[in-house]
Amino acid sequence: MRAFSAVVAKFREALLESPKALAFARDLIGAFAGSEMSGGPTKSEVWTLITQRHTPQYGQDFFDSRWSVFEHYDAIQPYLAKKHQQRYALHPAVGPATLVHERLRRHRGIDELVGLLDETKSLIGQPTRDRTTIEFNLLDCQQMLTLYAIHLERLVAVASIRDLAEEQREHNHPGLSTRVKQLNEEVSGFFPGDHTLDHQAVALVSAEQRYQQALTAAGQRVIDQGGRSLDFEVLSAEEYLEAARNAPLALLSQFGADLVVDPPSAWLDAGALMETVEDFAPRVRVRSRPPMPQVVQEPDPVGRMVEARVRERSRQEHLAERVLLESNQADLTDELRRSRWRAAARLLADLIGLDADPYAPYQLRIGIEVIVDRIGWVTYLHPVYLSRQAGEQHVQPLRRREHRHHDAL
């Protein structure tokens, strides 16, 4: 609890109202979380990390004073229990404390009340519900709503209109009445005949109604007094014009934040309508034919396949003629040994494709023996021979050639 209170405390156990205290706590959490120093960062390293992340809204003197407060409340502790220890660690309670204090500063604890109502409702719905805890929660909710109602009633009597409007906005939490009503129904449904819990539930509803009446009274006073005093939020048209000319910029920046505008509709009498109808001349539009769409002639996919096959066949035949030169038979073993794996495989595949074509005058023969070359690019292969057949001798069934190649391989 000491480390939890260090976020908004001074040495003399007094609360610190400056918003720089919460900013320092958030920066401290970010610096310790982002530090990668072994054994924790030093004080100077923490200040360096804060200034590297962004420009803080406080100086180093304020940083030193708040550091002393955090040390006093054990929120900042030495990393090791040694004398003259220069490296520190942050107590984990500082993180939740920053979130809680920030939420309390913004919503005055209404979120905690709503959370307690939801928690009580979930406890009632559990099979192993604790009646004592439910009774305590109902009493706490009823007391908190009563305190809020008394606080608003006091502000309606003594606070200024601006403070009252700001306080009313802080208490604007939709669904609070619905939660209280549902909790009352849950108590009546799960605890029939329990007069104590039923009394607590009825008292909770009464406290909520008093709280809503105080909120309504606060809003009514803001509207009535603002209208009588011609406050800047409810000025007339002339005062708005005067304020636009002479009011300070900070005040003008708040204009229209809660303003609801209902623009008037246009007024049109029957005479003006008849004159408009008589003088109306419809516009004549000459329609023109739209341009013809440009149809892009796409090539035939089957034709592209046929052309690609013709080009591939022509390339393979040129390759075979280059290998054979002017003779009808050639030994390709040495050329395959000198080639790399990729080139040798491509050459062999092209020649096998020519040999598989029953209409091509080429025949490929692969030997059975294996040639091993441990220092060459192609480490092992079979002897390969290509021959050209003349006349009708090259027309053979495709199935017979494939069978021959498989046997040779």
Side-chain angles (χ1 to χ4, degrees), residues 277-349:
V277 172
E278 291 175 357
D279 297 339
F280 174 74
R283 297 177 59 184
V284 179
R285 295 184 179 180
V286 179
R287 295 186 177 182
S288 59
R289 185 183 298 273
M292 293 296 294
Q294 299 293 332
V295 180
V296 180
Q297 297 294 337
E298 297 184 355
D300 183 15
V302 178
R304 291 202 305 267
M305 293 176 59
V306 172
E307 293 176 0
R309 177 55 187 163
V310 170
R311 290 194 300 269
E312 182 68 12
R313 174 63 181 274
S314 178
R315 187 188 63 81
Q316 292 175 351
E317 289 181 351
H318 282 84
L319 177 62
E321 293 298 331
R322 180 187 64 81
V323 173
L324 293 173
L325 294 178
E326 298 181 354
S327 61
N328 292 330
Q329 186 173 359
D331 186 357
L332 304 179
T333 307
D334 293 337
E335 183 173 354
L336 292 175
R337 293 178 63 181
R338 291 192 301 267
S339 303
R340 294 177 180 266
W341 267 112
R342 186 181 298 275
R346 180 61 184 272
L347 176 60
L348 194 58

Side-chain angles (χ1 to χ4, degrees), residues 1 13 33 49 65 70 119 163 169 172 191 195 199 212 225 281 283 286 301 305 340 387 397 402 405:
M1 290 302 299
E13 305 297 334
L49 290 172
S65 63
F70 273 59
E119 178 186 354
D163 294 340
R169 285 192 291 269
N172 185 18
F191 296 96
H195 300 291
H199 175 73
Q212 294 296 336
Q225 185 175 347
R283 297 177 59 184
V286 179
M305 293 176 59
R340 294 177 180 266
S387 60
E402 292 179 349
H405 290 325

Side-chain angles (χ1 to χ4, degrees), residues 75-283:
I76 296 178
Q77 302 172 350
Y79 194 86
L80 299 176
K82 295 182 180 180
K83 292 184 178 180
H84 309 293
Q85 176 61 235
Q86 300 297 325
R87 297 193 174 275
Y88 300 91
L90 189 65
H91 197 284
V94 176
T98 305
L99 299 178
V100 170
H101 291 307
E102 184 68 24
R103 187 169 67 249
L104 291 175
R105 185 180 65 87
R106 290 198 309 265
H107 300 292
R108 312 294 174 90
I110 300 298
D111 292 339
E112 277 65 26
L113 174 61
V114 173
L116 185 57
L117 290 172
D118 294 339
E119 178 186 354
T120 307
K121 182 180 178 182
S122 63
L123 288 176
I124 294 177
Q126 293 179 1
T128 58
R129 44 186 172 270
D130 186 2
R131 182 193 174 284
T132 303
T133 303
I134 294 173
E135 183 179 359
F136 285 159
N137 289 354
L138 289 174
L139 181 60
D140 290 341
C141 293
Q142 182 261 333
Q143 292 174 350
M144 291 174 65
L145 281 172
T146 303
L147 291 178
Y148 285 137
I150 296 173
H151 177 65
L152 287 172
E153 291 169 355
R154 184 185 67 84
L155 292 181
V156 171
V158 300
S160 64
I161 183 174
R162 293 187 178 276
D163 294 340
L164 190 61
E166 181 180 359
E167 183 72 23
Q168 186 189 20
R169 285 192 291 269
E170 296 292 343
H171 286 267
N172 185 18
H173 200 296
L176 182 61
S177 301
T178 304
R179 285 181 169 85
V180 172
K181 180 180 178 182
Q182 292 177 352
L183 184 59
N184 185 23
E185 294 175 353
E186 293 285 338
V187 171
S188 301
F190 283 92
F191 296 96
D194 194 331
H195 300 291
T196 302
L197 283 183
D198 186 67
H199 175 73
Q200 294 291 348
V202 172
L204 177 62
V205 174
S206 301
E208 194 275 333
Q209 292 177 353
R210 181 180 179 182
Y211 172 70
Q212 294 296 336
Q213 291 175 359
L215 277 178
T216 304
Q220 188 65 37
R221 185 194 162 202
V222 170
I223 295 175
D224 295 341
Q225 185 175 347
R228 290 194 305 268
S229 62
L230 293 180
D231 195 359
F232 183 74
E233 299 179 356
V234 285
L235 294 179
S236 62
E238 291 77 10
E239 265 108 25
Y240 274 123
L241 180 60
E242 183 66 21
R245 292 173 177 172
N246 302 319
L249 184 61
L251 187 60
L252 289 175
S253 62
Q254 303 175 2
F255 170 72
D258 303 314
L259 188 62
V260 179
V261 179
D262 186 12
S265 58
W267 172 257
L268 184 64
D269 57 1
L273 178 61
M274 295 302 297
E275 292 178 1
T276 304
V277 172
E278 291 175 357
D279 297 339
F280 174 74
R283 297 177 59 184

